[in-house]
Amino acid sequence: MTNAASTTTPPSRASASGGGFELGRVLLEGRAYFALILIIAVFSFLSPYYFTVGNFLTMASHVALFGILAIGMLLVILNGGIDLSVGSTLGLSGVIAGFLMQGVTLPWFGVILYPPVWVVAILACGLGGLIGLVNGVLIARFKVPAFVATLGVMYMVRGIALLITNGLTYNSLGGRPDLGNQGFDWLGFNRIMGVPIGVVVMVVLAFLGSLVLTRTPFGRWLYASGGNERAAELSGVPTRFVQMTVYALSGVCAAIAGLILSSQLTSAGPTAGTTYELTAIAAVVIGGAALTGGRGNIRGTMLGAFVIGFLSDGLVIIGISSYWQTVFTGAVIVLAVLLNAIQYRGRAKAPAVAGATPAAKLAG
Amino acid sequence: MTNAASTTTPPSRASASGGGFELGRVLLEGRAYFALILIIAVFSFLSPYYFTVGNFLTMASHVALFGILAIGMLLVILNGGIDLSVGSTLGLSGVIAGFLMQGVTLPWFGVILYPPVWVVAILACGLGGLIGLVNGVLIARFKVPAFVATLGVMYMVRGIALLITNGLTYNSLGGRPDLGNQGFDWLGFNRIMGVPIGVVVMVVLAFLGSLVLTRTPFGRWLYASGGNERAAELSGVPTRFVQMTVYALSGVCAAIAGLILSSQLTSAGPTAGTTYELTAIAAVVIGGAALTGGRGNIRGTMLGAFVIGFLSDGLVIIGISSYWQTVFTGAVIVLAVLLNAIQYRGRAKAPAVAGATPAAKLAG
Amino acid sequence: NDPSNPYWLTEGNVASAEAKKLGYEANVGASKGDTNAESTLIDTAITNKSVAIILDPANASGSVGAVKKAIAANIPVILVNAEINQDGLAKAQLVSNNAQGAALGAQQWVRAIGQKGNYVELLGSPSDNNAATRSNGYDTVLSQYDDLKKVGSQVANWDRTQGHDKMQNLLQAHPDIQGVISGNDEMALGAVAALKEAGKLSGIKVGGFDGSPDAVSAVKAGELQYTVLQPVAIFSAKAVQEADSFIKTGKTGAAQEKQLFDCVLITKDNAAKMTAPFTMTP
Amino acid sequence: MTRPDAAPDRDAAVVLTANNIAKAYGSVHALKGVNFEVRRGKVTTLFGENGAGKSTLMKILSGVVKPTSGAIELDGSPVTFASASEARDAGISIIHQELSLAPNMSVRDNIFMGREIAGPTGIDYAEEARQAKVLMAELEEDIDPMTPVETLRLGQQQIVEIARALSVNSRILIMDEPTSALSAAEVEVLFKVIGDLKSRGVAIVYISHHLEEALQITDYAVVLRDGAMTAKADRADIDLEWIVRNMVGENYHLGTPPTGYQFGEVALSVRDLTVTDAANTGIAVVDRLSLDVRAGEIVCIYGLMGAGRTEMLECIAGRVPKAGGEVRLEGREISRLTIAERIAQGLALVPEDRQRDGLVQTMTVGENLSLASIGAFAKRVLLSRSTERAMVDQSIKSVTIKTAGGHAAIGSLSGGNQQKVVIGKMLTTHPRVILLDEPSRGIDIGAKAEVFRLLAERARDGLAVVFSTSEVAECLSIAHRIIVMARGKISAEFGSDASKEQIMAASGEAVVH
Ligand SMILES: Nc1ncnc2c1ncn2[C@@H]1O[C@H](COP(=O)(O)OP(=O)(O)OP(=O)(O)O)[C@@H](O)[C@H]1O
Ligand SMILES: Nc1ncnc2c1ncn2[C@@H]1O[C@H](COP(=O)(O)OP(=O)(O)OP(=O)(O)O)[C@@H](O)[C@H]1O
Ligand SMILES: [Mg+2]
Ligand SMILES: [Mg+2]
């Protein structure tokens, strides 16, 4: 029953104590690092193309998508929740962007508005935040279990995306100079010093994220309410606010990912991002976070994302059947948590304190 | 933090006290009934064909699949776990069945075996149970969080199914008289007094399920270890055994569903059952079970399955775009839990006792 | 695309076989209809310094970006099976003539059920414009017969299970139909299973599209009236050859970018001629 | 002593007044119009049985719950608190009865959660750590502010809880059973701290079930009985007997050892039992401990928090693995058996923390009662409902549980009755030996007496009883033999005629007066 506790005590310490360095964490994340290095080594050996700057950048830009989702997901999971709706949100935000880029007709003025790209981007993110807020309200105000609330929202958002586009895909999001709404593909195509924008965005978000988690009161509130909500509440932590915020943020992250994706493809499909939520969750968990909340940190999550991304890309590059990729992905997920579990099994026996009991449950 | 507790107190009582009649339950399940009746009424009004025996039987046979999955899922959820791998297991069991029906070549004997249908069925179920057991071992022995363990297994099983068939679909599972392996389509095609076998199987399983839950020590153990694992353990409940068993059973249920599906189609595809796990979970939750374990019962779960099934079929019959179906499904899920949440909000305010804390967390 | 459908599987196999024959190393990946997965595949193809990419676009519009990327990395792209909504990008787009095939199918279908009656249609996923092309193809033919009424249509996303379930629902809504026309074979076979179960197979005629082995055997068995063979084997081989010639000569050797390959009708009579999956020997 | 309606004495300024506060949880009337005063620089102690409404009243004063009716006056001006933090800002802080710490976070983070000290770059961790250190020094516990709370034992966690309350320099400090898990030494320290606070003019509200202990620091005593105030008085006017009388109506004593029968064979025999620390640090928490208990004998194990009683008992019951030694039940070596098997063999444990280890909150009273022996009701496969119901009703009677019946929700019972359910549950397995870890923790004196009477009866019928306690008074109740544990070893053994002083001395605990 103490597995969650066991699996993830060390990172938690680290994160909770915001920056303190500890053997436990080194060991745990050391493992993630090790896995990553192993993956890179193996594939570099198998394919001459794998170990090249170009490829790493490409892979990084693939990781970026999941990485960004995972950052939002981490916040939610730290709160002891889960967000299944990010995949759909990703899809919808892309669709909305596409919709806006096509120009909005205002019949009663008889004009067609072509909002500039930055407006589109902001609106899309706003929408993402809104969806997240809906989750947040359902969960924080109406006390609906996170899993169910976000599951429902996932379906609804996906359906809406399909309805808007009627199942079709918006393309030519390039914009037109005469309309001054060009540059949408900037996100997807441009590079800053050779680094794809997507990666840059991920890095920035990761940096901001760990800043918030380790340096700000909000970060501590999040760890506190994830660790023991009642305790946090009694000591004046605005737990509801925290809860709503994390879901909103997760929504925004999803929207950003959606923008990047659709600008990479210069097209926005309503089914984009299906099942990405699972990959994001996997990344967070491989990164050593506990689904029971209060335990985990950005660095781990990033590592998790890279492990998954580099693995699957590697398999594609050495030309392994996509079926094997499915198998491997699963294997890695299980292995990652299994290793943690085994290492901290001894601890698992330690009498859990009341507060730790929750951990127990979810894990069971 | 008391949401889970609040959302689901009544059914729990009900179920836990296996048969004890209580206002809370009547209210809660009354609502599910009400939803079902509403759905039926609306669609009967909109389509002359909806309210016909024939149609109900068809819809029931669609519900059967999810219903059977949901029964297994309920057991897992009562234990405080979750099983994301059922969809894949469903697919694999179908594939295995198909594989066996095609005949197994034993090179070193130089003969091709055509196992009779019942053998095939048993083997498929056995496989399902095995997969479930893998989940169980990961979760009970190695203390891997259920969500992650089953997520990983989900990927792996799906991959294996694809590898076995190399992505192809087995068909003509009809069998051949000369080989004496006929009758595979019996499950899917035959009817007992006009009732599709699938439905019969579901009803039987549901009956067995509620018998086990309410009338056997195992059922009591399950509710206990779901409600408070530590206490159960100290009272001499073999919690690990219980945990492993429920996952194994869930696997078997998935396998059975897989057999029924592939026999309905007289063909088995490796991608069958994708995302069915979510539908099953939705059914269980709409049925008033708590994802934190210890609360829920078969009747509710069946209701949940019928609500989902009758709704989506109804939408098809009145010819609404499949996109709306997605939206509605989500809406119903949210609504169902929302209503419970609201009704028991008053209770929710009560400071939960230590024991209830776990509940809280997972739900949060 | 998704290799769990024999059609795309053959597409991949034939192409890689042809490529190997021409002395290339072929590497088949599946986008499963996800444009992002597709673009990932393209990226890796670029990483692998591929000499040419033969792509079955996941999405008429969604794949444009991916193709652009490959072009940018100046790798010639040749599209097979489905088109993209932007010309001048790919070196060639080799697709089966869906419109012609649909017309062909529709006519045969009319012959099968006669000039009058009610029918329902099963549509492929709307994001794939073959679905629309075929559906229109059917309509243009069938609308000529005033006594043929389409009483219902459902999207079954090319999938057999959905075909089965949706068919059952449609049967409930419209018990009085004589025919089912389907956007592809998988859905058609799903429908056949549903009809079998309802014991209505004799009364209701089903028509498919693709010419997949399962469908062919169903046609042989008389469960399926006909299917329309897409010359996937032919054009995927052709695609490789064109790629080859482009790499060597800089020209695909074909007149124009869009090349339509006519489909062939498969009925009980000529079903026997199907030697290998998707290949018919006259 | 004075009557409730008597005028309150005037020698200290009243800072906080609660005027006929009432609180109803649905049908439960937790408080029925209570008047309550808190004086600056004085300790107002609140006595009352379980469920009397003490915690509820405190939660209302500290803004955690809102009263159904009634008003609160701070310095004579009416106030209403929307939240705990508002009350805290008004200078009222509270130590809750149940620990409220985030186990995943460090001591520092727990102390300052919700009240972060802002620095130039986000939180000023250094400053927080410094203050945390100071507090720990003040409480004479050497706990590094960075240690995660989950690795502290219960007592230390309670210290952290106290430190958090102290860290807010509040004018009114409410302590709801702050010592339930503290060793006598730690209590001493706490009382010293309370002394300083008083001299600094801080008003303190103190709640405890350790009556003598509480009396040491009481200035004003207030007694609640089921939601209403039954008495209040100055320290000078009252004694233990007065408190107990007002708490429970009549005077209680915890019973005497059952006599008039011969002990049977040795039922439980422990030899050189060794248990290492939960955290696998190799420290022997139970150190080569040997113990024999005969059928019909009642043995009490006294010790300070951290003496290793829980580990020993849980190890005998099979919950924690043993590092060495052997455990024999009626001669059979049982170390290798699972918990379930040991129960079947006739060894039952009533755990220390009933909420966490004793009860299944999602099940009814009846189901909790029958859980341990559920196998017995299976005729072939199916349960026999009738047999079960009969057994449940029977044990509700025999253990005297106050409840609407077997179908009632476990949460609806008061602490004492919940404890009885746990005991009843284990008794239905017909044990030969029963181990009880602090069976009296957090239950009122009336319930205690009943529990002990119950155990005495069973002992007569040949049951071997071993119970641990942290209250000397309980050692001197029904136990035939008193064993004192210290640092994992048996430091002394007494008959039922031992004196409190002897026992406390043996436990390494300073004798408190
Ligand atoms: N959240 C709640 N919901 C319902 N009833 C409650 C709640 N909290 C307390 N009660 C009831 O109110 C009454 C007083 O409870 P309270 O906790 O104040 O008693 P107490 O004096 O603190 O007991 P103890 O000495 O065990 O702490 C009890 O009958 C209890 O059952
Ligand atoms: N959660 C824990 N983690 C690490 N060590 C612990 C933990 N709980 C207890 N210990 C250690 O085990 C020893 C026994 O502690 P424990 O509190 O069980 O003794 P005890 O006599 O049972 O006290 P009490 O019964 O009053 O709680 C102590 O030395 C303590 O440090
Ligand atoms: Mg209290
Ligand atoms: Mg103890």
Side-chain angles (χ1 to χ4, degrees):
Chain A
M1 59 137 293
T2 41
N3 51 346
S6 61
T7 4
T8 51
T9 304
S12 76
R13 305 264 182 86
S15 43
S17 58
F21 208 72
E22 228 193 46
L23 185 71
R25 183 177 72 192
V26 181
L27 279 172
L28 182 82
E29 295 196 354
R31 182 176 299 112
Y33 282 120
F34 178 72
L36 191 57
I37 291 164
L38 184 76
I39 290 172
I40 293 175
V42 169
F43 285 117
S44 311
F45 172 74
L46 290 174
S47 157
Y49 306 113
Y50 192 84
F51 199 82
T52 59
V53 177
N55 182 44
F56 278 120
L57 288 175
T58 324
M59 293 199 296
S61 70
H62 297 162
V63 171
L65 275 183
F66 298 111
I68 292 171
L69 288 181
I71 292 172
M73 188 65 74
L74 173 66
L75 299 181
V76 173
I77 286 179
L78 280 176
N79 188 254
I82 196 138
D83 187 350
L84 300 178
S85 67
V86 289
S88 306
T89 310
L90 183 152
L92 184 57
S93 87
V95 166
I96 289 296
F99 175 75
L100 294 173
M101 293 302 291
Q102 306 297 326
V104 198
T105 333
L106 302 176
W108 55 96
F109 295 128
V111 296
I112 305 183
L113 282 185
Y114 291 94
V117 173
W118 62 271
V119 175
V120 173
I122 288 174
L123 287 175
C125 292
L127 179 76
L130 202 70
I131 297 172
L133 211 56
V134 173
N135 286 326
V137 171
L138 282 172
I139 294 160
R141 280 246 169 290
F142 297 104
K143 305 294 179 196
V144 177
F147 189 98
V148 195
T150 55
L151 179 64
V153 171
M154 169 184 107
Y155 281 119
M156 287 165 75
V157 172
R158 181 67 66 195
I160 293 167
L162 286 162
L163 284 171
I164 291 178
T165 60
N166 183 26
L168 296 174
T169 299
Y170 288 115
N171 60 326
S172 66
L173 302 185
R176 299 220 302 284
D178 53 323
L179 301 173
N181 65 344
Q182 259 179 313
F184 185 76
D185 42 14
W186 179 82
L187 265 176
F189 279 63
N190 257 44
R191 292 171 169 240
I192 293 175
M193 303 181 302
V195 182
I197 303 293
V199 180
V200 177
V201 174
M202 173 178 71
V203 173
V204 171
L205 285 177
F207 178 74
L208 288 178
S210 49
L211 214 62
V212 169
L213 285 184
T214 58
R215 307 294 311 165
T216 66
F218 182 84
R220 176 180 283 170
W221 293 346
L222 180 50
Y223 279 108
S225 46
N228 180 350
E229 187 170 15
R230 195 178 124 276
E233 202 166 4
L234 288 177
S235 33
V237 173
T239 47
R240 285 187 169 191
F241 163 76
V242 172
Q243 207 165 28
M244 293 201 193
T245 315
V246 288
Y247 284 97
L249 288 178
S250 164
V252 174
C253 286
I256 295 174
L259 289 172
I260 293 175
L261 176 58
S262 49
S263 100
Q264 277 175 354
L265 307 171
T266 57
S267 73
T271 56
T274 315
T275 74
Y276 284 17
E277 57 274 1
L278 294 180
T279 318
I281 294 170
V284 175
V285 171
I286 292 177
L291 290 175
T292 43
R295 315 189 135 144
N297 59 17
I298 295 271
R299 194 196 292 99
T301 303
M302 286 295 109
L303 272 171
F306 273 95
V307 166
I308 295 181
F310 278 24
L311 177 73
S312 58
D313 276 14
L315 291 166
V316 176
I317 286 183
I318 63 171
I320 279 185
S321 121
S322 63
Y323 310 145
W324 278 111
Q325 295 173 34
T326 327
V327 178
F328 276 116
T329 320
V332 168
I333 296 174
V334 174
L335 224 70
V337 281
L338 197 55
L339 286 169
N340 303 344
I342 291 169
Q343 163 154 8
Y344 297 101
R345 216 140 145 229
R347 285 201 132 287
K349 299 227 163 33
V353 295
T357 321
K361 295 302 302 159
L362 171 42
Chain B
M1 63 146 286
T2 42
N3 48 353
S6 61
T7 11
T8 51
T9 304
S12 76
R13 302 271 180 80
S15 49
S17 62
F21 207 68
E22 226 190 47
L23 186 70
R25 182 175 74 193
V26 181
L27 279 172
L28 183 83
E29 296 196 352
R31 181 175 301 113
Y33 281 119
F34 178 72
L36 191 56
I37 292 163
L38 184 76
I39 290 173
I40 294 176
V42 170
F43 285 116
S44 311
F45 172 75
L46 291 174
S47 155
Y49 307 106
Y50 191 85
F51 199 83
T52 60
V53 178
N55 183 43
F56 279 124
L57 287 175
T58 320
M59 294 198 296
S61 72
H62 292 169
V63 171
L65 276 183
F66 299 112
I68 293 171
L69 287 181
I71 292 172
M73 188 65 74
L74 173 66
L75 299 181
V76 174
I77 286 179
L78 279 176
N79 189 253
I82 195 137
D83 187 351
L84 300 178
S85 67
V86 289
S88 305
T89 309
L90 184 153
L92 183 58
S93 87
V95 166
I96 289 297
F99 175 74
L100 294 172
M101 293 302 292
Q102 305 298 325
V104 198
T105 333
L106 303 175
W108 54 98
F109 295 128
V111 296
I112 305 183
L113 283 184
Y114 290 93
V117 173
W118 61 270
V119 175
V120 173
I122 287 174
L123 288 175
C125 292
L127 180 76
L130 203 69
I131 296 172
L133 211 56
V134 173
N135 286 327
V137 170
L138 282 173
I139 294 160
R141 280 246 169 290
F142 297 104
K143 306 294 179 196
V144 177
F147 188 97
V148 194
T150 55
L151 179 65
V153 171
M154 169 184 108
Y155 281 120
M156 285 164 70
V157 171
R158 180 67 67 196
I160 292 167
L162 287 161
L163 284 170
I164 290 179
T165 60
N166 183 24
L168 286 173
T169 300
Y170 288 117
N171 59 329
S172 67
L173 300 185
R176 298 219 304 283
D178 53 324
L179 301 174
N181 65 344
Q182 259 180 312
F184 184 76
D185 42 13
W186 180 81
L187 265 175
F189 279 55
N190 258 43
R191 293 171 170 240
I192 292 175
M193 307 182 298
V195 182
I197 302 293
V199 180
V200 177
V201 174
M202 173 179 71
V203 172
V204 171
L205 285 177
F207 176 75
L208 288 177
S210 49
L211 209 63
V212 169
L213 285 184
T214 59
R215 303 299 311 278
T216 67
F218 181 84
R220 194 62 64 79
W221 289 341
L222 178 50
Y223 279 110
S225 47
N228 181 351
E229 189 171 13
R230 292 171 61 94
E233 197 179 357
L234 276 177
S235 316
V237 173
T239 47
R240 284 188 171 189
F241 163 77
V242 171
Q243 206 166 28
M244 293 201 196
T245 315
V246 288
Y247 284 98
L249 288 178
S250 163
V252 173
C253 286
I256 295 174
L259 289 172
I260 292 175
L261 176 60
S262 49
S263 100
Q264 277 176 355
L265 305 173
T266 56
S267 74
T271 55
T274 315
T275 74
Y276 282 18
E277 57 274 2
L278 295 181
T279 319
I281 294 169
V284 174
V285 171
I286 292 178
L291 290 174
T292 44
R295 311 182 140 151
N297 59 16
I298 294 270
R299 193 196 292 99
T301 302
M302 286 295 110
L303 273 172
F306 274 95
V307 166
I308 295 181
F310 278 23
L311 177 73
S312 58
D313 278 11
L315 291 166
V316 176
I317 286 185
I318 63 171
I320 278 184
S321 123
S322 61
Y323 309 143
W324 277 112
Q325 296 172 32
T326 326
V327 179
F328 277 115
T329 319
V332 169
I333 295 174
V334 174
L335 224 71
V337 281
L338 197 55
L339 285 170
N340 303 347
I342 291 170
Q343 163 154 5
Y344 298 102
R345 210 134 149 239
R347 297 180 136 290
K349 295 230 163 30
V353 285
T357 320
K361 294 300 303 153
L362 170 42
Chain C
N1 222 324
D2 186 354
S4 62
N5 175 326
Y7 176 80
W8 284 302
L9 189 76
T10 320
E11 182 179 277
N13 295 348
V14 171
S16 55
E18 183 70 18
K20 292 212 173 59
K21 206 166 69 203
L22 293 168
Y24 295 95
E25 183 186 332
N27 192 338
V28 182
S31 72
K32 303 216 179 61
D34 176 350
T35 44
N36 182 38
E38 181 177 59
S39 92
T40 310
L41 288 166
I42 296 285
D43 285 334
T44 47
I46 296 169
T47 316
N48 279 342
K49 313 246 184 321
S50 314
V51 286
I53 295 172
I54 293 172
L55 172 70
D56 181 343
N59 181 305
S61 342
S63 302
V64 174
V67 175
K68 278 193 185 142
K69 235 188 307 184
I71 308 293
N74 52 49
I75 298 175
V77 179
I78 293 180
L79 301 179
V80 290
N81 180 48
E83 308 170 345
I84 56 172
N85 303 344
Q86 197 166 339
D87 294 358
L89 284 175
K91 295 287 166 274
Q93 304 194 33
L94 299 79
V95 297
S96 48
N97 191 339
N98 280 290
Q100 170 263 353
L104 210 58
Q107 284 146 8
Q108 174 62 25
W109 188 80
V110 172
R111 257 176 259 127
I113 72 164
Q115 308 266 327
K116 68 193 297 300
N118 300 335
Y119 71 97
V120 293
E121 182 178 0
L122 294 171
L123 300 162
S125 68
S127 59
D128 179 344
N129 56 0
N130 282 347
T133 323
R134 292 177 192 175
S135 181
N136 299 338
Y138 292 151
D139 288 345
T140 40
V141 177
L142 301 182
S143 52
Q144 296 159 14
Y145 307 92
D146 309 341
D147 300 342
L148 281 175
K149 277 203 299 302
K150 187 200 287 190
V151 291
S153 73
Q154 274 293 327
V155 173
N157 294 317
W158 303 133
D159 173 60
R160 195 181 294 199
T161 314
Q162 290 193 33
H164 173 268
D165 291 358
K166 298 273 165 90
M167 188 64 228
Q168 286 188 316
N169 297 131
L170 288 169
L171 268 182
Q172 293 304 327
H174 317 287
D176 56 345
I177 51 173
Q178 284 76 39
V180 179
I181 191 157
S182 160
N184 79 342
D185 284 339
E186 285 293 304
M187 297 188 289
L189 290 168
V192 168
L195 291 169
K196 242 196 240 162
E197 188 181 356
K200 291 188 166 184
L201 191 52
S202 51
I204 302 178
K205 307 264 181 280
V206 186
F209 201 110
D210 279 354
S212 71
D214 302 2
V216 174
S217 46
V219 170
K220 285 193 188 129
E223 300 172 342
L224 200 60
Q225 291 314 306
Y226 70 91
T227 178
V228 178
L229 172 65
Q230 289 203 72
V232 56
I234 299 172
F235 62 65
S236 33
K238 185 77 165 57
V240 178
Q241 291 151 9
E242 287 187 8
D244 175 50
S245 78
F246 182 84
I247 293 156
K248 300 212 173 90
T249 67
K251 274 191 241 52
T252 58
Q256 75 283 45
E257 179 186 340
K258 277 223 167 77
Q259 303 157 45
L260 298 179
F261 291 72
D262 280 354
C263 305
V264 187
L265 189 70
I266 301 179
T267 58
K268 232 176 162 57
D269 321 331
N270 64 354
K273 297 219 205 91
M274 295 297 295
T275 50
F278 297 98
T279 39
M280 175 183 270
T281 43
Chain D
M1 71 168 272
T2 58
R3 302 247 54 73
D5 47 291
D9 37 7
R10 295 255 163 276
D11 54 22
V14 173
V15 261
L16 187 75
T17 332
N19 296 326
N20 63 68
I21 299 285
K23 175 67 180 177
Y25 292 102
S27 59
V28 186
H29 289 277
L31 291 174
K32 310 161 183 164
V34 173
N35 296 311
F36 187 67
E37 285 171 337
V38 183
R39 290 181 168 71
R40 74 182 304 278
K42 298 290 178 192
V43 176
T44 312
T45 310
L46 197 51
F47 296 99
E49 291 188 275
N50 294 105
K54 305 183 295 296
S55 299
T56 306
L57 181 57
M58 293 307 114
K59 285 177 183 156
I60 289 170
L61 294 185
S62 58
V64 177
V65 300
K66 282 158 210 54
T68 319
S69 71
I72 303 173
E73 282 181 15
L74 191 59
D75 305 322
S77 53
V79 287
T80 54
F81 302 125
S83 72
S85 42
E86 274 190 26
R88 193 175 55 203
D89 300 341
I92 302 174
S93 66
I94 178 167
I95 300 168
H96 287 280
Q97 181 172 16
E98 322 78 18
L99 283 176
S100 53
L101 301 169
N104 58 319
M105 300 170 82
S106 68
V107 171
R108 177 199 69 196
D109 292 356
N110 268 286
I111 290 178
F112 290 97
M113 81 164 70
R115 308 190 287 94
E116 286 67 20
I117 298 176
T121 62
I123 303 173
D124 184 346
Y125 288 109
E127 174 58 16
E128 288 188 353
R130 197 188 57 72
Q131 296 192 16
K133 267 204 180 58
V134 173
L135 285 164
M136 286 305 146
E138 192 177 350
L139 291 165
E140 296 177 22
E141 285 277 333
D142 60 345
I143 302 174
D144 171 16
M146 297 313 296
T147 40
V149 160
E150 64 202 330
T151 57
L152 302 174
R153 71 184 151 82
L154 220 57
Q156 294 175 317
Q157 291 184 18
Q158 199 148 26
I159 295 287
V160 174
E161 188 90 30
I162 294 169
R164 177 164 66 191
L166 294 179
S167 69
V168 204
N169 295 320
S170 50
R171 312 164 42 219
I172 301 171
L173 178 54
I174 299 170
M175 301 182 170
D176 193 347
E177 298 195 25
T179 60
S180 60
L182 293 189
S183 70
E186 287 165 327
V187 172
E188 282 290 279
V189 177
L190 177 62
F191 286 0
K192 241 197 259 116
V193 173
I194 290 178
D196 310 349
L197 292 173
K198 281 170 68 175
S199 58
R200 276 191 264 138
V202 177
I204 291 167
V205 181
Y206 189 85
I207 297 177
S208 175
H209 285 295
H210 300 339
L211 305 183
E212 307 99 324
E213 187 185 279
L215 272 178
Q216 296 172 40
I217 51 162
T218 305
D219 295 312
Y220 301 100
V222 175
V223 184
L224 285 185
R225 194 194 308 168
D226 46 38
M229 184 169 65
T230 53
K232 66 183 200 177
D234 284 15
R235 171 67 180 91
D237 311 342
I238 64 170
D239 57 7
L240 241 175
E241 180 273 339
W242 177 88
I243 297 170
V244 173
R245 178 149 38 74
N246 285 288
M247 271 172 67
V248 297
E250 77 269 31
N251 198 344
Y252 258 93
H253 69 92
L254 289 173
T256 54
T259 51
Y261 64 97
Q262 289 299 316
F263 296 152
E265 287 304 301
V266 171
L268 176 71
S269 149
V270 178
R271 287 277 165 278
D272 304 322
L273 185 68
T274 306
V275 182
T276 52
D277 187 299
N280 288 346
T281 53
I283 308 165
V285 173
V286 176
D287 191 1
R288 299 193 301 286
L289 181 143
S290 299
L291 170 69
D292 281 335
V293 185
R294 300 179 155 281
E297 187 180 21
I298 302 178
V299 175
C300 163
I301 300 180
Y302 177 79
L304 305 188
M305 176 61 108
R309 293 159 298 169
T310 298
E311 276 73 5
M312 179 186 74
L313 296 174
E314 290 194 338
C315 177
I316 294 172
R319 172 50 152 309
V320 289
K322 72 173 165 58
E326 65 180 26
V327 180
R328 294 184 169 281
L329 181 67
E330 294 177 328
R332 289 185 305 285
E333 168 64 82
I334 57 166
S335 308
R336 227 161 271 88
L337 304 185
T338 64
I339 298 177
E341 288 160 340
R342 296 184 199 210
I343 289 174
Q345 296 279 333
L347 177 71
L349 168 72
V350 174
E352 179 174 23
D353 181 336
R354 60 173 170 273
Q355 296 297 358
R356 201 173 82 227
D357 301 337
L359 298 168
V360 179
Q361 296 293 343
T362 54
M363 309 211 310
T364 64
V365 171
E367 286 161 342
N368 271 288
L369 275 170
S370 62
L371 182 57
S373 47
I374 193 70
F377 306 118
K379 50 171 194 221
R380 274 174 262 91
V381 237
L382 295 192
L383 294 175
S384 150
R385 291 244 181 82
S386 49
T387 333
E388 180 181 1
R389 205 171 295 111
M391 169 263 145
V392 167
D393 297 341
Q394 195 271 333
S395 61
I396 287 181
K397 245 195 262 54
S398 70
V399 194
T400 63
I401 299 168
K402 291 192 201 65
T403 172
H407 55 80
I410 197 71
S412 67
L413 268 58
S414 76
N417 284 302
Q418 289 186 0
Q419 183 67 304
K420 286 184 201 160
V421 171
V422 181
I423 295 171
K425 174 179 72 178
M426 297 326 290
L427 286 178
T428 54
T429 64
H430 305 298
R432 318 287 307 119
V433 176
I434 187 164
L435 314 169
L436 306 96
D437 195 357
E438 310 214 4
S440 59
R441 173 174 280 195
I443 68 172
D444 64 64
I445 186 155
K448 265 183 212 174
E450 284 186 25
V451 167
F452 284 140
R453 183 182 46 72
L454 198 90
L455 294 173
E457 279 172 11
R458 295 309 173 107
R460 254 180 220 294
D461 311 341
L463 176 64
V465 178
V466 179
F467 72 93
S468 75
T469 177
S470 308
E471 285 188 56
V472 188
E474 294 174 10
C475 304
L476 299 174
S477 57
I478 57 166
H480 298 105
R481 194 145 57 99
I482 299 156
I483 288 174
V484 182
M485 265 183 81
R487 273 163 255 86
K489 289 198 171 69
I490 293 180
S491 61
E493 192 163 332
F494 303 99
S496 54
D497 53 358
S499 77
K500 292 186 181 183
E501 288 67 20
Q502 287 174 304
I503 295 169
M504 290 171 128
S507 72
E509 183 176 10
V511 181
V512 284
H513 295 289

